C-alpha cells in the first residue's frame, strides 16, 4: 500500500507540473481595433500594453487604422463610378505618412518607402477591378487597410525592440470564395496556422497579423464580414488552443447600452457565451457576431478591455451560469426596411416565403427583424445598396416592393414598459414587436 501511495503522489506532482507549464506555454491572442491604433499616440499606447505581458507569447490581430476602411470604401465607390480617386488616395496616404513621421521621427525613410510600395500596389489593384465582380473587387481593395496597419506596426515594434514577426492572414485563414462574407475552412486553417505559428514562435515572443482577412486556395483575398477582426482573433485562438482572447476597445468592457447614447450604462463584469452570442445576434457592436461560437466550442475565455485603462479587468465572456436581468439596449444604425407585398389579394404562402428566403441567402443578406401580415412580408436588414438592389431586382416581378433606408433598429433585452415607451418616443415608427422579455422597434432617425 505504501509503495502504491508513493506512485500516486508522484503522478499527481507530475500531472500538476505539466498542467502549469502547458498553460504557461499556451499563447494569448490580442485584437486591436481601428480606434486603438488610429494615431501615433495610440500606437505607442498599444506597445505599452504589450510590455505589460513580458512572459506571454501573443498573436496580435490588428484592424485598419482609424477610419481607413471607410476611406477605402469611398475610393472603391469613386472608381466604380468612373470618378477621380486621386485626392482620396492622396489623403489616405498623407494620413498614414503623418503617423509614420511621428512614430519614427527622423528615421522614417524605410517605413515610408514601404508605405509608398503598398499604395502603388493599391493603384494597380484599382486599375484591375471589374464592376461585374463587385464583391471580389471589394475584398481586393478594402484588404489594403489591414495590410498597411500591420506593416507600419511591425516596423514600429521592431524599432521598440520587440521580438516579433509578421504573419499574413491570407496565407493562414483558408476560406471559400464567398467574397465579403467568406466561410472558413476550419480544418485547413488549423493546419496552416499551426505550421506558421510553430515557425514564427521558435525565436519570437510576438507575431502580428491582419484581422478581417482570409484567402482562398487559389490565392484570392477574401474578407470575413464588416468589422470581422474580432472573428479573426477567435479563429487564431481556436486553431492554436490559445489561453485567452483579449479585445482592446475604446470602452471599459461590455455595457448594457452604448455609453454615447444611453446614460448610466452598466458594465457587465462577466457574461456567459450564450448571453454574449445573443447580444451580438441583435447587433451589439462591441463584438462581431461570429466570434463567440469557436471560443465557446474550445472553452477559450474572451476579455473585452479598455485600451485607455489597461489596468482594469473589463468584461470576461466564459462558461458561467450568470443570468442578467437588467435591460440591455442595442441600437443598430444604417438599417433598411423592405416590404414584399402581394397585389392580387392572395395570401403569402410558405412557397412565397421560401422564394424570398432563398433570394436572401443567395445574396448573403441577414435579417435583423421580420414581420408578416396576410398579404405582406417585411424585413429589417443592414443598409447594403449593392446587395439590396440585386435582391429587389430579382423579386420585383413577384411582389410590389416598398423600401425605406437610413433607419434605426432598437432591441431591448429584458424590457420593461417605461423603457419601451422611452424608446418609442419622438420618431416615426415603421415596425415593432414584443415577446415575453424582448422588444424591437424600427424607427426613423
Amino acid at each position: 500500500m505504501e509503495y502504491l501511495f508513493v506512485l500516486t503522489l508522484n503522478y499527481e506532482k507530475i500531472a500538476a507540473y505539466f498542467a502549469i507549464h502547458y498553460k504557461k506555454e499556451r499563447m494569448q491572442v490580442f485584437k486591436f481595433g481601428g480606434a486603438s491604433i488610429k494615431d501615433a499616440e495610440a500606437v505607442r499606447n498599444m506597445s505599452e500594453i504589450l510590455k505589460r505581458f513580458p512572459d506571454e507569447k501573443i498573436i496580435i490581430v490588428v484592424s485598419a487604422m482609424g477610419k481607413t476602411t471607410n476611406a477605402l470604401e469611398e475610393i472603391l465607390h469613386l472608381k466604380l463610378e468612373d470618378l477621380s480617386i486621386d485626392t482620396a488616395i492622396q489623403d489616405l496616404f498623407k494620413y498614414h505618412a503623418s503617423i509614420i513621421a511621428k512614430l519614427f521621427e527622423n528615421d522614417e525613410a524605410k517605413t515610408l518607402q514601404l508605405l509608398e510600395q503598398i499604395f502603388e500596389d493599391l493603384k494597380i489593384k484599382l486599375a484591375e477591378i471589374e464592376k461585374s465582380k463587385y464583391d471580389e473587387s471589394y475584398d481586393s481593395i478594402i484588404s489594403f487597410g489591414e495590410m498597411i496597419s500591420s506593416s507600419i506596426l511591425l516596423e514600429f515594434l521592431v524599432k521598440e525592440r520587440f521580438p516579433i514577426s509578421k504573419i499574413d492572414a491570407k496565407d493562414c485563414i483558408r476560406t471559400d470564395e464567398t467574397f465579403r462574407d467568406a466561410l472558413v475552412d476550419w480544418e485547413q486553417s488549423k493546419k496552416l496556422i499551426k505550421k506558421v505559428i510553430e515557425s514564427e514562435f521558435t525565436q519570437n515572443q510576438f507575431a502580428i497579423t491582419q484581422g478581417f482577412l482570409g484567402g482562398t486556395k487559389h490565392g484570392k483575398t477574401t474578407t470575413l464580414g464588416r468589422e470581422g477582426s474580432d472573428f479573426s482573433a477567435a479563429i487564431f485562438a481556436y486553431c492554436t488552443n490559445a489561453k485567452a482572447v483579449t479585445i482592446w476597445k475604446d470602452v471599459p468592457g461590455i455595457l448594457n447600452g452604448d455609453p454615447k447614447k444611453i446614460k448610466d450604462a452598466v458594465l457587465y463584469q462577466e457574461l456567459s457565451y450564450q448571453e454574449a452570442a445573443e447580444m451580438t445576434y441583435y447587433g451589439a457592436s462591441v463584438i462581431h457576431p461570429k466570434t463567440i461560437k469557436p471560443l465557446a466550442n474550445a472553452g477559450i475565455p474572451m476579455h473585452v478591455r479598455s485600451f485607455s485603462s489597461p489596468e482594469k479587468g473589463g468584461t470576461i465572456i466564459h462558461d458561467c451560469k450568470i443570468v442578467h436581468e437588467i435591460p440591455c439596449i442595442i441600437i443598430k444604425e444604417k438599417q433598411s426596411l423592405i416590404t414584399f407585398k402581394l397585389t392580387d389579394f392572395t395570401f403569402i404562402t410558405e412557397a412565397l416565403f421560401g422564394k424570398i428566403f432563398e433570394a436572401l441567402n443567395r445574396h448573403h443578406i441577414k435579417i435583423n427583424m421580420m414581420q408578416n401580415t396576410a398579404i405582406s412580408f417585411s424585413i429589417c436588414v443592414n443598409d447594403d445598396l449593392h446587395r439590396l438592389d440585386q435582391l429587389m431586382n430579382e423579386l420585383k416581378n413577384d411582389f410590389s416592393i416598398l423600401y425605406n433606408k437610413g433607419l434605426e433598429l432598437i432591441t431591448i433585452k429584458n424590457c420593461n414598459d417605461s423603457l419601451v415607451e422611452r424608446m418609442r418616443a419622438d420618431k416615426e415608427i415603421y415596425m415593432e414587436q414584443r415577446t415575453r422579455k424582448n422588444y424591437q422597434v424600427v424607427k426613423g432617425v
Side-chain angles (χ1 to χ4, degrees):
M1 289 293 293
E2 185 176 341
Y3 180 69
L4 289 175
F5 173 76
V6 172
L7 282 178
T8 303
L9 182 63
N10 288 341
Y11 172 79
E12 289 174 351
K13 286 184 176 179
I14 292 169
Y17 174 88
F18 278 109
I20 291 169
H21 285 268
Y22 174 63
K23 185 176 181 181
K24 187 174 182 180
E25 284 301 309
R26 288 171 66 191
M27 61 187 59
Q28 295 202 56
V29 179
F30 283 3
K31 180 260 178 172
F32 290 91
S36 63
I37 51 172
K38 65 181 179 179
D39 53 30
E41 183 181 356
V43 172
R44 290 193 184 97
N45 180 64
M46 182 197 77
S47 72
E48 292 302 314
I49 290 174
L50 295 175
K51 290 174 186 177
R52 299 170 71 93
F53 301 87
D55 300 320
E56 299 280 357
K57 290 188 174 182
I58 300 174
I59 301 173
I60 306 163
V61 177
V62 295
S63 301
M65 291 175 153
K67 300 295 184 182
T68 296
T69 300
N70 292 343
L72 286 167
E73 286 179 334
E74 177 61 20
I75 289 169
L76 176 62
H77 171 74
L78 291 171
K79 181 64 178 178
L80 292 173
E81 294 296 320
D82 296 321
L83 299 172
S84 174
I85 60 174
D86 293 344
T87 300
I89 287 184
Q90 287 172 8
D91 289 344
L92 188 59
F93 179 86
K94 288 177 183 177
Y95 165 68
H96 288 95
S98 68
I99 294 174
I100 290 172
K102 292 174 183 176
L103 287 177
F104 296 88
E105 298 174 344
N106 297 321
D107 191 28
E108 74 268 27
K110 178 187 172 185
T111 309
L112 196 59
Q113 187 177 15
L114 177 63
L115 181 68
E116 290 170 349
Q117 182 57 58
I118 294 173
F119 269 79
E120 286 302 314
D121 293 341
L122 171 61
K123 292 173 184 176
I124 291 170
K125 281 290 184 185
L126 283 164
E128 296 173 349
I129 63 173
E130 301 177 40
K131 288 184 179 180
S132 60
K133 296 181 178 180
Y134 175 81
D135 289 348
E136 184 174 348
S137 297
Y138 180 97
D139 284 2
S140 69
I141 299 305
I142 306 306
S143 59
F144 274 86
E146 280 71 16
M147 291 159 62
I148 294 168
S149 64
S150 60
S151 297
I152 293 174
L153 291 171
L154 174 68
E155 294 299 318
F156 177 72
L157 292 173
V158 168
K159 171 181 169 288
E160 294 293 295
R161 301 184 184 280
F162 283 83
I164 188 169
S165 60
K166 187 170 75 168
I167 298 171
D168 284 328
K170 296 178 291 183
D171 299 331
C172 295
I173 299 178
R174 180 67 70 245
T175 74
D176 67 357
E177 293 193 2
T178 307
F179 297 102
R180 294 178 67 203
D181 195 15
L183 298 176
V184 176
D185 182 334
W186 289 95
E187 184 177 347
Q188 190 63 22
S189 296
K190 194 169 187 176
K191 291 178 182 177
L192 292 170
I193 289 173
K194 184 178 180 181
K195 182 179 179 181
V196 170
I197 292 301
E198 287 176 350
S199 170
E200 297 300 330
F201 277 93
T202 52
Q203 295 182 335
N204 293 314
Q205 182 188 349
F206 301 94
I208 192 166
T209 190
Q210 308 86 18
F212 182 49
L213 308 186
T216 71
K217 63 182 180 181
H218 300 300
K220 294 181 179 180
T221 301
T222 57
T223 63
L224 305 175
R226 197 67 157 81
E227 309 292 343
S229 293
D230 293 351
F231 186 35
S232 298
I235 294 168
F236 276 99
Y238 177 85
C239 292
T240 59
N241 190 32
K243 182 163 55 176
V245 172
T246 301
I247 308 294
W248 296 96
K249 303 285 290 187
D250 57 352
V251 290
I254 299 179
L255 299 99
N256 72 324
D258 185 342
K260 297 176 184 176
K261 299 179 180 180
I262 306 298
K263 293 181 180 179
D264 304 319
V266 178
L267 175 71
Y268 295 109
Q269 300 290 339
E270 56 183 325
L271 288 169
S272 67
Y273 291 122
Q274 183 174 350
E275 192 168 7
E278 187 177 3
M279 289 170 66
T280 64
Y281 173 82
Y282 284 123
S285 59
V286 177
I287 311 167
H288 188 274
K290 295 180 181 178
T291 304
I292 302 300
K293 186 177 186 293
L295 299 181
N297 288 345
I300 299 171
M302 176 177 176
H303 303 267
V304 180
R305 299 173 64 179
S306 167
F307 60 74
S308 59
S309 301
E311 72 281 358
K312 295 181 180 179
T315 303
I316 180 172
I317 300 168
H318 60 146
D319 186 10
C320 63
K321 302 299 181 184
I322 294 175
V323 178
H324 295 92
E325 295 298 333
I326 61 172
C328 176
I329 304 165
I330 301 164
I331 301 173
K332 278 182 74 73
E333 299 175 336
K334 297 181 180 179
Q335 298 293 291
S336 293
L337 180 67
I338 306 174
T339 298
F340 303 94
K341 192 173 182 180
L342 294 171
T343 57
D344 59 358
F345 299 102
T346 56
F347 297 140
I348 291 271
T349 63
E350 286 77 4
L352 291 171
F353 279 130
K355 181 173 286 190
I356 295 171
F357 279 106
E358 286 173 4
L360 288 165
N361 182 62
R362 196 156 38 248
H363 296 291
H364 309 288
I365 299 171
K366 174 185 171 293
I367 298 175
N368 297 324
M369 180 182 173
M370 59 185 172
Q371 197 173 86
N372 71 281
T373 68
I375 60 171
S376 68
F377 179 59
S378 298
I379 58 172
C380 177
V381 298
N382 297 338
D383 281 340
D384 187 331
L385 183 61
H386 179 75
R387 286 181 175 171
L388 295 181
D389 279 349
Q390 290 181 329
L391 175 75
M392 290 186 284
N393 282 333
E394 180 176 336
L395 296 174
K396 65 183 179 182
N397 294 328
D398 299 294
F399 302 94
S400 172
I401 301 176
L402 304 177
Y403 174 53
N404 300 88
K405 65 178 183 177
L407 305 178
E408 190 175 72
L409 170 63
I410 301 175
T411 302
I412 308 174
K413 290 171 79 308
N414 304 318
C415 64
N416 57 57
D417 291 342
S418 62
L419 192 53
V420 167
E421 287 305 311
R422 198 174 105 199
M423 291 297 112
R424 295 183 83 256
D426 301 332
K427 302 295 182 180
E428 182 178 359
I429 293 175
Y430 288 81
M431 184 166 70
E432 65 181 331
Q433 59 189 25
R434 185 169 182 173
T435 60
R436 290 183 182 90
K437 287 192 171 185
N438 299 337
Y439 170 77
Q440 287 188 291
V441 60
V442 180
K443 299 172 57 176
V445 177

